[in-house]
Amino acid sequence: MNFIKFCASSAALLFLCSCDSNEVSLAFNTENAPVQKYFLESSLDAMLPSDSGVTVPEAMETHLKVQATLSELVAYDNGSGRFEMKIDSVEYKSDKRTVEDYLYIQKYLLTQHFQYKMAPDGSVSEPAVEDVALQPGTEELNLLKLFMKVQPILPGTPTKVGTTWEREVQIPESGKTTSVYKSFTLEEVFMHDGAQMAKIGMNVKYREVADSSANVQMESKGFIVGTGSILFDMTHGVISTVNLGLQGHVNVTDLVAGSVIPDMHILQKIKLRGEF
């Protein structure tokens, strides 16, 4: 039996033992994680309010598909690991951008590799993005932020079905830090294709803070809120799928044009799928 199979068997045994006490252990594999293909998809719809002063209320729709490779670079003695995500392919479309914009954005995103440390509970620290100076600075194109929005944080201790836990996540950006509040509920544990799977419900909320270094700034007065679901592969310690829907209202300020768009309604859907 090779080492990977041994680890998988040990995880399964731990799961079975935990079931006897109605508790299961949820943890990311940060010691010998398999190379994963990540498929990230995000759609963002922004709609002007009907009383914005525009004769015909405008709307903007964008759609982003990214395929990436996630690899573990180093396993540390404290149980955490350093991971690298490299972008393999990008498809991007927006009804408010030209073909030249598409080509530039896709070329830019292909260079947006990033690294981070991750603890067994999924907590991410020291995120670093390559070529950050080239970032266009728009919400729907920040791959690191999209990833950290859907990244689950696990409880860190054996947990029963029905248990809820809360975590706060700090997402750093060039000119600001976004605090995202997440709550999770272990809804179900089941077998699928020889692996133990955990179904986890997720709720998130955060305030959009204006980026002081950007010419176009977004800021929300209230919370942007969302709900979603996670399938976590307990046997291999990796994400299987995540689906998250977000909505809220933001004020957009264009410092160059000297214009302000108040109360823009934002709808965003993010999907993440992992394969190995």
Side-chain angles (χ1 to χ4, degrees), residues 20 126 152 179 186 201 214 228 245:
D20 292 337
E126 300 181 21
S179 298
L186 180 58

Side-chain angles (χ1 to χ4, degrees), residues 51-170:
D51 59 352
S52 63
V54 178
T55 304
V56 179
E58 290 191 28
M60 180 184 73
E61 296 182 3
T62 67
H63 196 80
L64 175 67
K65 286 186 176 181
V66 175
Q67 180 175 322
T69 300
L70 181 67
S71 306
E72 184 173 16
L73 302 179
V74 182
Y76 298 103
D77 293 338
N78 63 2
S80 65
R82 176 166 289 279
F83 292 80
E84 180 180 51
M85 185 174 290
K86 290 189 174 182
I87 309 304
D88 301 321
S89 65
V90 175
E91 293 181 22
Y92 174 78
K93 290 186 178 180
S94 170
D95 60 357
K96 297 300 180 183
R97 296 186 188 270
T98 65
V99 174
E100 289 77 12
D101 289 335
Y102 293 169
L103 294 177
Y104 166 73
I105 289 169
Q106 290 181 168
K107 181 179 179 181
Y108 155 73
L109 289 177
L110 284 170
T111 70
Q112 201 189 72
H113 309 324
F114 53 89
Q115 294 186 16
Y116 57 88
K117 281 186 178 180
M118 184 174 68
D121 68 352
S123 299
V124 171
S125 61
E126 300 181 21
V129 182
E130 294 182 13
D131 299 325
V132 67
L134 299 177
Q135 176 141 342
T138 53
E139 169 76 8
E140 80 273 20
L141 300 179
N142 190 327
L143 298 185
L144 178 60
K145 187 173 182 178
L146 288 175
F147 167 72
M148 292 189 69
K149 279 183 182 180
V150 299
Q151 168 74 355
I153 310 298
L154 304 177
T157 57
T159 305
K160 295 181 179 181
V161 172
T163 299
T164 296
W165 61 98
E166 298 181 355
R167 296 291 186 271
E168 180 181 352
V169 177
Q170 300 293 328

